[in-house]
Amino acid sequence: MPTILKKIPFAFLLFAMSCCASVKQQDDRQLHTTLLNDIKTLSSDNYEGRKTGTAGAEKARAYITERFTKLGIKPFPDQSNYLQPFMFQAKDSKQFTGQNVLGYIPGKLKECIVISAHYDHLGTEGNKIYNGADDNASGVAALLHFAEYFSKNPPNFTLIFAAFDAEEMGLKGAKAFVDAPPVALHQIKLNINMDMIAHNDKNELYACGTFTHPELKKYIITDHESIKITLGHDDPKTGHDDWTNQSDQGAFNAKNIPFIYFGVEDHKDYHQPTDDFENINQDFFVGATKAILAVIKNIDGKLSSKIQIDKNKIMK
């Protein structure tokens, strides 16, 4: 009898570990399916390349807002919906109306992190559709996954999820956001931007932004073995192109807001009609999304505690 009793806890431990492994596998399968469905849908011919001001862009907005609604992501209290319209003039002097899609999850702190990705792309040219699977249906799909994760796991920071319009026309949506933010600009402590995270043959994901803000380096840690996060593309000593202002994080940088931009180097399908779902690296994309989420969780856990400490000092 005593021998049997000793074996029971060990058997229970094995059972519990088996259950945990099964749940993790199920979560991984669901993540894989949802991510790939989002990127495949947004980069399908039905969305006509999602160019600003077109029916395809309107369909993309409808898709994002529907996902936000189902996930329970809130529009800002003073907004009747998720949309932030803005006007701008293109290089040819033509007037455009863009529409950012904004939602948020309130955190324990009023300080915010803006998680962003642009949903627009190049549209059509003749009979060719520029579907922009990597650029940037990939970033939007990841953003939707992060929104789902934090809707189930309440964050410390207040998280703003921003699907920006008109990035391809000069970062117009991001610039409109920082010029008329839904919260006080000083409350935004960081921008995490994603633009092209689904197409790399060497499993290399770049993180730009730590040259100007080296204090962010310690948070860029992930245990995802297949993804190599490489710093650079903002440090002149590396010889890489400077990406600081080449995507929507540039609008935040102009306001001196720290940022981390995740992306890959240009590839043969960049800004080509061949940037289709069939040509992305699916395993890399899923791995990159997991790696970025790990970084966001690091920041939300560790950086938020420092801000709380600073608040306590001020109160004293």
Side-chain angles (χ1 to χ4, degrees):
M1 189 69 174
T3 303
I4 294 174
L5 288 174
K6 288 180 181 178
K7 289 182 178 179
I8 290 176
F10 181 69
F12 179 78
L13 178 61
L14 287 177
F15 175 75
M17 291 173 64
S18 174
C19 288
C20 289
S22 177
V23 170
K24 185 179 185 303
Q25 289 174 356
Q26 184 177 351
D27 289 345
D28 284 347
R29 285 194 296 269
Q30 182 179 355
L31 164 63
H32 196 276
T33 300
T34 304
L35 269 176
L36 294 183
N37 180 67
D38 283 337
I39 187 174
K40 185 176 184 179
T41 301
L42 287 166
S43 62
S44 64
D45 287 353
N46 188 45
Y47 288 74
E48 301 174 327
R50 310 184 306 277
K51 187 173 183 178
T52 299
T54 66
E58 186 175 351
K59 289 178 182 177
R61 285 194 296 276
Y63 184 87
I64 297 165
T65 56
E66 181 181 8
R67 293 280 278 113
F68 275 4
T69 301
K70 287 181 177 179
L71 292 172
I73 306 302
K74 300 178 180 179
F76 282 92
D78 59 344
Q79 300 291 329
S80 59
N81 54 43
Y82 298 104
L83 302 181
Q84 181 191 42
F86 59 94
M87 300 283 294
F88 68 96
Q89 184 172 301
K91 292 180 180 179
D92 61 1
S93 298
K94 185 179 178 180
Q95 293 289 331
F96 281 87
T97 298
Q99 300 251 30
N100 294 329
V101 186
L102 309 177
Y104 85 110
I105 295 176
K108 297 174 184 176
L109 301 171
K110 290 184 179 180
E111 286 81 1
C112 303
I113 295 175
V114 177
I115 301 174
S116 62
H118 75 90
Y119 69 87
D120 66 295
H121 194 52
L122 302 178
T124 62
E125 185 177 327
N127 61 353
K128 296 178 180 178
I129 303 176
Y130 291 73
N131 282 318
D134 189 29
D135 186 13
N136 186 35
S138 65
V140 176
L143 181 146
L144 291 172
H145 171 62
F146 303 152
E148 180 173 5
Y149 175 85
F150 285 106
S151 70
K152 300 173 183 176
N153 300 274
N156 293 310
F157 281 105
T158 292
L159 300 181
I160 298 174
F161 298 94
F164 289 136
D165 196 1
E167 187 273 350
E168 300 287 3
M169 304 180 80
L171 320 185
K172 300 299 186 182
K175 290 177 180 178
F177 176 90
V178 297
D179 284 343
V183 298
L185 203 61
H186 67 82
Q187 288 179 226
I188 300 176
K189 299 304 177 183
L190 180 68
N191 168 231
I192 296 176
N193 186 49
M194 299 159 292
D195 192 351
M196 297 172 55
I197 59 169
H199 194 148
N200 185 274
D201 297 324
K202 297 182 288 186
N203 288 332
E204 291 180 348
L205 179 68
Y206 281 87
C208 166
T210 61
F211 178 71
T212 306
H213 297 279
E215 70 277 6
L216 296 174
K217 286 182 181 180
K218 58 180 173 287
Y219 302 112
I220 304 179
I221 301 171
T222 176
D223 58 1
H224 200 283
E225 296 177 358
S226 68
I227 301 297
K228 180 184 179 183
I229 299 182
T230 303
L231 305 181
H233 284 294
D234 55 354
D235 183 350
K237 294 179 182 177
T238 65
H240 291 305
D241 293 337
D242 187 352
W243 291 354
T244 299
N245 298 306
Q246 290 190 12
S247 187
D248 288 320
Q249 73 279 351
F252 292 84
N253 180 58
K255 300 291 186 180
N256 296 316
I257 296 172
F259 69 88
I260 303 174
Y261 161 47
F262 290 99
V264 299
E265 293 183 322
D266 292 353
H267 46 74
K268 62 182 179 61
D269 299 316
Y270 170 67
H271 278 195
Q272 298 297 320
T274 51
D275 186 8
D276 292 320
F277 174 76
E278 291 74 20
N279 292 326
I280 68 168
N281 306 94
Q282 294 185 16
D283 289 339
F284 171 76
F285 172 49
V286 174
T289 300
K290 289 181 178 179
I292 296 169
L293 177 58
V295 173
I296 296 172
K297 288 162 66 177
N298 289 342
I299 292 170
D300 185 57
K302 297 174 183 177
L303 184 58
S304 63
S305 64
K306 290 187 177 182
I307 287 179
Q308 189 65 51
I309 290 171
D310 290 341
K311 275 189 169 183
N312 291 338
K313 287 181 179 178
I314 292 172
M315 288 172 66
K316 290 177 181 179

